[in-house]
Amino acid sequence: SDLKCVLNVPGMARLFASLPPPSAVGRTSCLDDWIQSLSLGQNMDGQVWRSWGEGHVETEPRGWVGAFNASISLGSLFERLLSWEDEDKSPICYPDGLTPKLLSSVGLAYHVLSK
């Protein structure tokens, strides 16, 4: 929920979705770190197929509840993360050479899908 509050600051979502400047060799962006975090949650509560011969499931495990709540929480960030215009400026002033590469919405989609 803290990240939701930060992303509500005008221009911050676009800054979050930017890439580090070329001079920042070896540094990752917030966007790349967030994508990495999302990848950790893949198959969080994987289901296993039961054949008909194994019979009825008497008790259902409750592990899916935590996985469901985590997916709701992480998924709700998409709305805020994508709530910027290509013309939005960064809310932070950087010295020359340290300005991150602000992506367009098309550039963001390409970056996310090609990771």
Side-chain angles (χ1 to χ4, degrees):
S1 69
D2 292 341
L3 185 54
K4 286 182 190 178
C5 292
V6 169
L7 293 176
N8 279 333
V9 173
M12 193 58 76
R14 181 147 196 228
L15 185 60
F16 184 87
S18 65
L19 299 177
S23 62
V25 178
R27 293 188 59 200
T28 60
S29 65
C30 293
L31 178 63
D32 290 331
D33 292 340
W34 187 63
I35 292 170
Q36 182 65 30
S37 298
L38 288 179
S39 71
L40 294 174
Q42 286 183 330
N43 202 20
M44 194 177 340
D45 186 38
Q47 302 297 307
V48 178
W49 177 259
R50 290 178 56 97
S51 69
W52 289 100
E54 292 182 65
H56 180 69
V57 176
E58 297 298 325
T59 59
E60 184 175 312
R62 303 282 296 160
W64 68 269
V65 175
F68 178 77
N69 288 335
S71 69
I72 293 292
S73 181
L74 289 172
S76 66
L77 290 175
F78 279 110
E79 178 184 348
R80 286 175 178 80
L81 183 60
L82 300 175
S83 65
W84 49 269
E85 301 292 330
D86 287 348
E87 297 82 31
D88 288 351
K89 303 289 183 210
S90 172
I92 300 173
C93 296
Y94 290 92
D96 290 337
L98 295 178
T99 304
K101 179 182 177 189
L102 298 177
L103 299 172
S104 66
S105 54
V106 172
L108 174 64
Y110 178 78
H111 182 78
V112 169
L113 293 174
S114 65
K115 271 303 218 185

